[in-house]
Amino acid sequence: MAAAAAVVVDNMSEDQAMIELSDMTKVYNIGTIDVHALDGVSMSIHRGEMVAIMGASGSGKSTLMNVLGCLDVPSSGRYMLDGLEVGALSGNQLAEIRNRKIGFVFQTYNLLPRLTAQANVELPLLYGAGNDRKRRASEALDRVGLSDRTNHKPTELSGGQQQRVGIARALVKDPSILLADEPTGNLDSRSSAEIMEILMELNRDEGRTVIIVTHEPDIAAQAPRVITMRDGVIVSDGPPETLGQGATAAAGEAQQ
């Protein structure tokens, strides 16, 4: 008889942060060298927030995204997600959390080229949704304004339309968190504005927690809260008006 699947139960009170990091580190061992990708990161994100995490290449933002998305676990410190300590969960439990709670949006869309938009959005529902998956996929595509492109393949869609399919795929299982990795990185300015408007609407109108990882200040500035990273640490955390202040302060300290 097959073993029963592990069930992850939320232990979160109403006033508790949805995401809480405490002195979290992530260290990669490369030969004899320890690379500290995250070095004592502490922060919290509440349900319904829209947050941009910004930083240059090598700042630690991609590592932080992987940990927030339960694709990796901390080396030390603590990551609490809905009252659960992520570092203490098994691989199967992490997969269950990703499946239930987190919708991923990728810079390169990650669509299967031989499938239509409808079929790409249905993919996360292949197991367990039954006959309901076509309706749910259609509703998700309608939510991002692509109800007239359901039978188009990725090669028949613009970059902005492909990213809309990617967002619809992330939405189809009704996750509480949308985690978008450089969602406008491959788009022109007009398509970038359209994608950001969709993400802001999902946050504003549906109360979804939206976390955007980007290296573009103009994209980050559209979020009410911007976390800036440098060398594996948070150097600023506040409204977009504070953009650059943390980096300036860090540079000043380095010169002293």
Side-chain angles (χ1 to χ4, degrees):
M1 182 177 177
V7 176
V8 178
V9 179
D10 295 347
N11 299 303
M12 185 178 175
S13 62
E14 290 185 4
D15 58 348
Q16 185 177 359
M18 186 181 200
I19 290 170
E20 188 168 1
L21 310 182
S22 303
D23 199 24
M24 191 181 73
T25 71
K26 184 63 187 179
V27 181
Y28 295 103
N29 304 113
I30 303 177
T32 59
I33 300 174
D34 289 341
V35 177
H36 293 259
L38 297 175
D39 193 6
V41 172
S42 297
M43 69 169 187
S44 60
I45 297 174
H46 284 79
R47 189 177 302 275
E49 274 199 272
M50 182 172 186
V51 180
I53 299 173
M54 197 186 77
S57 178
S59 64
K61 67 183 188 300
S62 295
T63 302
L64 180 57
M65 181 202 70
N66 287 338
V67 175
L68 291 176
C70 297
L71 297 167
D72 207 344
V73 294
S75 299
S76 67
R78 190 172 67 167
Y79 170 22
M80 301 295 292
L81 174 61
D82 277 346
L84 299 169
E85 186 167 356
V86 170
L89 300 179
S90 68
N92 286 341
Q93 289 172 320
L94 291 171
E96 183 186 350
I97 285 180
R98 292 194 300 270
N99 188 45
R100 290 197 301 115
K101 291 182 179 291
I102 305 171
F104 293 92
V105 180
F106 304 97
Q107 177 179 352
T108 53
Y109 323 133
N110 288 9
L111 304 178
L112 296 184
R114 296 185 179 182
L115 298 183
T116 63
Q118 172 85 22
N120 267 287
V121 176
E122 286 181 24
L123 282 175
L125 301 173
L126 286 181
Y127 301 98
N131 296 330
D132 198 36
R133 67 174 184 262
K134 292 187 180 299
R135 178 189 63 80
R136 291 169 64 178
S138 294
E139 289 177 352
L141 284 165
D142 183 59
R143 180 67 187 83
V144 298
L146 284 182
S147 57
D148 59 341
R149 294 289 189 273
T150 58
N151 293 319
H152 288 62
K153 294 181 179 178
T155 54
E156 301 169 321
L157 301 171
S158 68
Q161 289 171 334
Q162 289 184 62
Q163 190 58 290
R164 291 188 190 202
V165 176
I167 294 173
R169 181 184 56 199
L171 288 174
V172 76
K173 297 197 78 171
D174 195 27
S176 53
I177 301 171
L178 277 184
L179 186 54
D181 179 19
E182 301 278 4
T184 63
N186 287 0
L187 302 179
D188 59 31
S189 57
R190 179 178 177 179
S191 296
S192 294
E194 292 172 350
I195 292 301
M196 286 302 298
E197 181 59 31
I198 290 172
L199 293 174
M200 288 188 288
E201 285 179 359
L202 290 169
N203 170 254
R204 182 179 63 244
D205 299 344
E206 300 182 12
R208 295 185 193 274
T209 306
V210 177
I211 303 172
I212 300 169
V213 178
T214 183
H215 68 279
E216 301 177 88
D218 58 326
I219 295 299
Q222 296 180 59
R225 177 183 174 193
V226 181
I227 297 170
T228 305
M229 298 199 65
R230 180 180 180 182
D231 297 333
V233 300
I234 293 174
V235 295
S236 68
D237 182 353
E241 292 79 9
T242 64
L243 264 174
Q245 292 181 11
T248 300
E253 291 173 4
Q255 291 174 358
Q256 291 177 358

